Amino acid sequence: MISYGLMELECSGDSCRVTWRDEGTLGNFPLERFFGLLADRMMGPDFEKGLMNLKAIAEARAEWPEIKETVWPAHTFLAITDSAGPENYAMVMGKAYSELMQLARKENLQVTGAPFAKYIRWDSVTMFSVMDLGIPVATAESVGGRARVVHYPELKVVLVHYFGPYEKTAPMYHVLDQYVKETGLKEAEGPWEIYITGPDTERDTARWETVIAFPVKD
């Protein structure tokens, strides 16, 4: 017995009807013909389960945030490289940003955007990471202390805008990772988080806005 499976898609607007078929020839052997009578009972539950899984995935996809592919122009920033774990992220990051802002004021540098974290290494088990903590500036050549000036080249990214507390960003990372895989892109380096609004300017954690970006290459 030889059979062929196929899926038929009939799409209209934002919906799509999926039909899963299995067709084949039973031949003349009596046992194969008897098997054909049982095929629906044997294979049907698997088909139903597969279609329900597909439905769940499609409906979950509808809840994805808007994903944007864009190119960041070359830019300059002040950065401090540091490391932290779950117990001291806030302290380490807050200290670095405070140092950078004081340095920018001292050197009369124009801050051109929100603070960010560029992740260099990340341990998914311990949640320990090594980061470049930075602020973008219009221009700079050299500074003192533990900060350094970085002239960053043009960068292609895929990104989402996330609203909510920092500890619940994980689903956004899964969405971006899946998008990168499906589009055939390749991650070029570690992710960036840009903190548009946060505890310094907004008390309601549901309104904290973070841009999460994956640098990519074709």
Side-chain angles (χ1 to χ4, degrees), residues 7-218:
M7 284 188 175
E8 297 177 346
L9 283 75
E10 302 173 48
C11 297
S12 177
D14 60 355
S15 63
C16 195
R17 178 187 178 91
V18 180
T19 303
W20 193 356
R21 300 182 183 276
D22 189 85
E23 301 175 350
T25 58
L26 298 175
N28 296 317
F29 189 57
L31 184 59
E32 290 182 339
R33 288 182 173 272
F34 177 72
F35 176 79
L37 298 175
L38 302 177
D40 182 62
R41 185 182 301 177
M42 297 172 63
M43 301 171 64
D46 286 337
F47 278 34
E48 291 292 335
K49 182 179 178 180
L51 289 171
M52 289 304 295
N53 287 341
L54 181 61
K55 179 175 182 291
I57 292 172
E59 291 177 346
R61 181 66 60 86
E63 300 300 320
W64 276 18
E66 181 183 0
I67 299 173
K68 182 179 180 181
E69 290 188 31
T70 188
V71 176
W72 286 345
H75 56 287
T76 299
F77 58 81
L78 304 182
I80 291 174
T81 301
D82 212 331
S83 59
E87 74 286 347
N88 65 343
Y89 269 112
M91 181 188 71
V92 168
M93 298 174 82
K95 180 181 178 182
Y97 295 137
S98 178
E99 286 183 37
L100 292 171
M101 292 302 295
Q102 290 178 23
L103 184 59
R105 287 193 291 269
K106 178 183 176 182
E107 300 291 336
N108 293 317
L109 302 176
Q110 180 186 357
V111 177
T112 57
F116 66 85
K118 175 179 175 290
Y119 288 86
I120 301 169
R121 290 195 300 275
W122 163 260
D123 189 315
S124 60
V125 176
T126 64
M127 292 189 289
F128 180 88
S129 61
V130 178
M131 309 161 286
D132 272 344
L133 304 170
I135 57 172
V137 293
T139 184
E141 293 305 325
S142 63
V143 290
R146 62 175 182 149
R148 70 187 193 280
V149 177
V150 180
H151 299 290
Y152 217 78
E154 183 178 87
L155 189 64
K156 180 177 181 179
V157 298
V158 295
L159 61 83
V160 296
H161 287 258
Y162 163 76
F163 291 86
Y166 301 135
E167 66 270 17
K168 295 185 178 180
T169 59
M172 301 299 102
Y173 280 85
H174 295 318
V175 165
L176 285 174
D177 184 62
Q178 186 66 25
Y179 179 87
V180 168
K181 290 177 179 176
E182 290 183 1
T183 54
L185 296 169
K186 296 180 181 179
E187 294 183 29
E189 58 181 58
W192 295 55
E193 290 184 351
I194 304 172
Y195 307 110
I196 308 300
T197 55
D200 291 341
T201 56
E202 176 59 59
R203 297 183 61 183
D204 184 358
T205 60
R207 301 178 66 179
W208 292 359
E209 181 182 0
T210 304
V211 173
I212 301 173
F214 281 18
V216 294
K217 57 186 177 181
D218 296 319

